[in-house]
Amino acid sequence: MRHFAIVGSGPAGFYTAEALAKAYGDSARIDIIDKLPVPYGLIRFGVAPDHQSIKKVSGRYEKVAESENVRFVGNVAVGDAVSVEELRGLYDAVVMATGAPHDRKLGIPGEELAGVVGSAAFVGWYNGHPDFADLDPPLDAGHAVVIGAGNVALDVARILSKTRVEFEGSDIVGHALERLMGSSIETITILARRGPHQIAMTPKELGELGRLEEAAPDVDAADLPPAETDEALEDRGLAKSVGLLRQFAAEPQEKRKTVVFDFFARPLRIEGDGKAERVVVEETRVEGGKCVGTGKTYDVPSGLVVSCIGYSSPHIPGVPYDHAKGRYENDEGRIDEGFFAVGWARRGPTGTIGTNRPDGYDVASQIEEAMAVGSDGGKAGGEGLDSLLCERDVAATSFTDWRKIEAAEEAAARAGSPREKIVDPAEMLRILGH
Ligand code: NAP
């Protein structure tokens, strides 16, 4: 028998479990450990609440969790309730699939002012992540600035723009929905430090901004490079996205709210009297793909600043960290003997949910190469973990427990919404009678 522990129950963790479960069948036991009592990581807390079709991938993970040789072990913080060293002693292989839940810092003056938040916090707030339930973002200033030209920036701008009707069918948490409906933000400026040809926005997500009920995108045609240069874009998706920007510039719409695309705009500092009031921006130009400051500055008013510039993995004792890349040190997924990283913990925060599948399968095949199917490592595995947790009085949750929490969330849903997420882990445990 072989015993494997996967730390993190997001997409990368589940794809790895799926691959290991298929490869080893009944000759392995796989524990997917999560610090929260509930599974799915990024799917539950990162994917936008109005993108329910993307969240449906959890149906596939559910099947994995219900396999005979797989267990979900929630409410167990690795690095706290149990150490990585202990896990490596108990299991034949440990796979870090923690994702990258922390915000990268902007590193500019004023970042610490009230009203400046990272996207992990802001997205976590409207997605019901327990760590960010109390965020209380200022939505009363009229202006918001979103820093970054990726899909997360688009998610944030869209969530700040939608009407109550447009949130129907979503699972945005009630506390965020009510705050957003009382918001007085009418201008959302997306600051992109480079130009339209350097965006990391995909056409589906960008296209959505052009179809909002009360908000219209605003693109300055002067920022767009000559149309014929789009043909040289090797990435067809990017060419399509730039095409959408051209359409936004050519067909301006008049609506109550505006999402301004401010290209060639690098944030220099955030200013205000005890709270964010404006972002001081430097105009840039792009030279050889790099952004170069021109020295010309201007102010963008903003009571709320959301930086959407990428994420980093958590520091956990016993896991070597690559500080420059904000992820675990690894060589093609291998950290050490019997110790691996997958997904964003391996590659950094890039790619779609599907990108994690080959990642997980690759690490599973590295494990299979090192430990033949049918071999025995003599490790204690899940039983050993259970005794440790019992000694330490840690109330782990199972997939059956998650089913009970899920049923309570579904029962509490607003009309038309799939669920009202329970935000407080203590309440989840109360439902389970722990
Ligand atoms: P991202 O795609 O890497 O975009 C980050 C953006 O931040 C880039 O435009 C980058 O500009 C900018 N940036 C970085 N540092 C900056 C700084 N110091 N000042 C100003 N701007 C800065 O990251 P993301 O938007 O967080 O998305 C993460 C991953 O999740 C991506 O692969 C994304 O596609 C995916 N995702 C997908 C969906 C979806 O499919 N619906 C939704 C959300 C996220 P430079 O290019 O100039 O560095």
Side-chain angles (χ1 to χ4, degrees):
M1 182 63 68
R2 290 288 180 175
H3 297 277
F4 303 127
I6 295 168
V7 182
S9 68
F14 266 104
Y15 287 123
T16 310
E18 180 184 273
L20 287 170
K22 275 191 196 159
Y24 283 84
D26 205 31
S27 69
R29 295 286 177 270
I30 301 147
D31 282 352
I32 305 175
I33 304 169
D34 203 293
K35 70 173 187 166
L36 291 174
V38 294
Y40 304 141
L42 181 92
I43 302 300
R44 180 174 166 102
F45 298 115
V47 171
D50 56 342
H51 282 172
Q52 287 298 313
S53 58
I54 301 179
K55 286 187 192 259
K56 284 211 170 84
V57 70
S58 62
R60 178 173 176 158
Y61 307 155
E62 203 172 281
K63 289 203 181 78
V64 175
E66 283 167 344
S67 316
E68 283 287 312
N69 50 356
V70 176
R71 279 200 316 174
F72 171 71
V73 186
N75 202 35
V76 175
V78 172
D80 186 5
V82 58
S83 71
V84 165
E85 208 177 21
E86 286 167 329
L87 286 185
R88 292 185 67 191
L90 290 169
Y91 292 85
D92 292 288
V94 174
V95 182
M96 301 304 292
T98 53
H102 299 307
D103 283 307
R104 274 192 50 217
K105 292 275 169 220
L106 279 165
I108 59 174
E111 188 168 12
E112 68 299 336
L113 284 172
V116 184
V117 297
S119 53
F122 192 69
V123 171
W125 170 70
Y126 62 64
N127 255 334
H129 192 294
D131 292 354
F132 305 110
D134 300 327
L135 187 74
D136 195 21
L139 303 174
D140 54 353
H143 288 76
V145 159
V146 177
I147 300 174
N151 280 329
V152 172
L154 285 178
D155 279 349
V156 168
R158 187 180 70 255
I159 295 294
L160 285 170
S161 303
K162 278 196 161 180
T163 62
R164 191 180 289 277
V165 170
E166 287 174 303
F167 278 116
E168 273 174 15
S170 81
D171 66 351
I172 188 166
V173 286
H175 67 78
L177 179 63
E178 291 318 315
R179 287 290 320 284
L180 286 163
M181 291 308 101
S183 159
S184 57
I185 293 171
E186 296 202 336
T187 307
I188 300 138
T189 302
I190 297 179
L191 291 183
R193 63 181 173 181
R194 297 190 289 158
H197 274 189
Q198 286 81 33
I199 57 171
M201 298 167 164
T202 46
K204 180 182 163 286
E205 285 62 34
L206 196 52
E208 279 176 274
L209 268 200
R211 298 187 298 272
L212 294 174
E213 212 171 289
E214 281 197 341
D218 177 0
V219 173
D220 183 349
D223 284 337
L224 292 159
E228 55 277 15
T229 59
D230 291 1
E231 283 167 23
L233 293 172
E234 278 168 29
D235 175 347
R236 290 298 98 204
L238 178 57
K240 233 174 158 182
S241 292
V242 176
L244 283 162
L245 292 174
R246 292 192 188 287
Q247 187 187 324
F248 295 163
E251 301 162 16
Q253 308 173 41
E254 278 292 321
K255 292 190 181 165
R256 190 171 74 83
K257 297 183 182 181
T258 312
V259 179
V260 180
F261 285 79
D262 195 355
F263 289 106
F264 306 104
R266 170 161 74 187
L268 283 187
R269 59 186 177 275
I270 301 160
E271 292 180 344
D273 190 6
K275 60 182 175 45
E277 289 172 19
R278 73 198 80 85
V279 181
V280 180
V281 171
E282 180 182 26
E283 274 183 32
T284 66
R285 57 175 182 272
V286 175
E287 282 176 12
K290 291 210 163 66
C291 109
V292 180
T294 62
K296 237 185 185 177
T297 64
Y298 58 96
D299 292 353
V300 180
S302 179
L304 170 69
V305 180
V306 188
S307 70
C308 307
I309 62 162
Y311 301 109
S312 60
S313 294
H315 289 266
I316 299 180
V319 194
Y321 202 83
D322 182 334
H323 290 270
K325 298 195 170 118
R327 56 159 168 78
Y328 302 132
E329 263 178 29
N330 72 90
D331 179 14
E332 305 280 320
R334 185 183 183 278
I335 301 176
D336 195 356
E337 199 180 326
F339 196 21
F340 299 88
V342 289
W344 284 7
R346 166 187 180 169
R347 310 186 313 272
T350 57
T352 62
I353 288 157
T355 318
N356 297 300
R357 189 178 174 277
D359 239 43
Y361 274 72
D362 172 51
V363 159
S365 64
Q366 290 186 46
I367 293 175
E368 207 186 326
E369 251 169 55
M371 302 166 204
V373 173
S375 62
D376 192 311
K379 298 275 189 166
E383 278 182 25
L385 176 67
D386 292 350
S387 345
L388 263 189
L389 296 177
C390 183
E391 266 170 38
R392 292 170 190 175
D393 223 7
V394 177
T397 56
S398 64
F399 204 71
T400 311
D401 289 336
W402 154 241
R403 290 282 196 215
K404 288 182 194 153
I405 296 168
E406 188 181 34
E409 291 187 341
E410 285 169 3
R414 298 181 296 275
S417 172
R419 64 188 67 78
E420 182 60 51
K421 285 180 193 164
I422 298 168
V423 174
D424 181 4
E427 192 188 336
M428 294 177 186
L429 297 182
R430 255 198 310 279
I431 288 172
L432 302 175
H434 283 318

